[in-house]
Amino acid sequence: NGGSVTATGAGANVALTPVSVPTPGTGGFVLNADGTIQVLANTPAGDYQIEYLICDLINGANNCATATATVRVAAPPIVANPD
């Protein structure tokens, strides 16, 4: 309907559910209830796709769709210190 999406609190009008969240050897990701994605410490650099289900809480629970967020984790800079 073109309205704002609110995922948390008393005025929530959508629900977000993780479907497919990558699990690298270290680090990882958390899909927060407010729709933000947390990148955990030690997650290797690279591009990751996080698939989630978004459901409309106003017009019925059967009004859902999957969506994909792409997260790019950059490699930390290499710092050379003199010996």
Side-chain angles (χ1 to χ4, degrees):
N1 69 6
S4 298
V5 172
T6 305
T8 58
N13 56 13
V14 298
L16 304 173
T17 306
V19 173
S20 176
V21 179
T23 52
T26 59
F29 304 90
V30 176
L31 176 62
N32 297 310
D34 66 358
T36 59
I37 297 171
Q38 179 181 356
V39 180
L40 300 178
N42 300 316
T43 301
D47 291 339
Y48 299 90
Q49 292 190 336
I50 299 171
E51 185 177 9
Y52 60 96
L53 185 68
I54 182 167
C55 294
D56 180 353
L57 298 177
I58 304 298
N59 297 308
N62 293 329
N63 189 15
C64 297
T66 57
T68 302
T70 300
V71 176
R72 175 168 287 163
V73 178
I78 296 174
V79 178
N81 295 316
D83 292 336

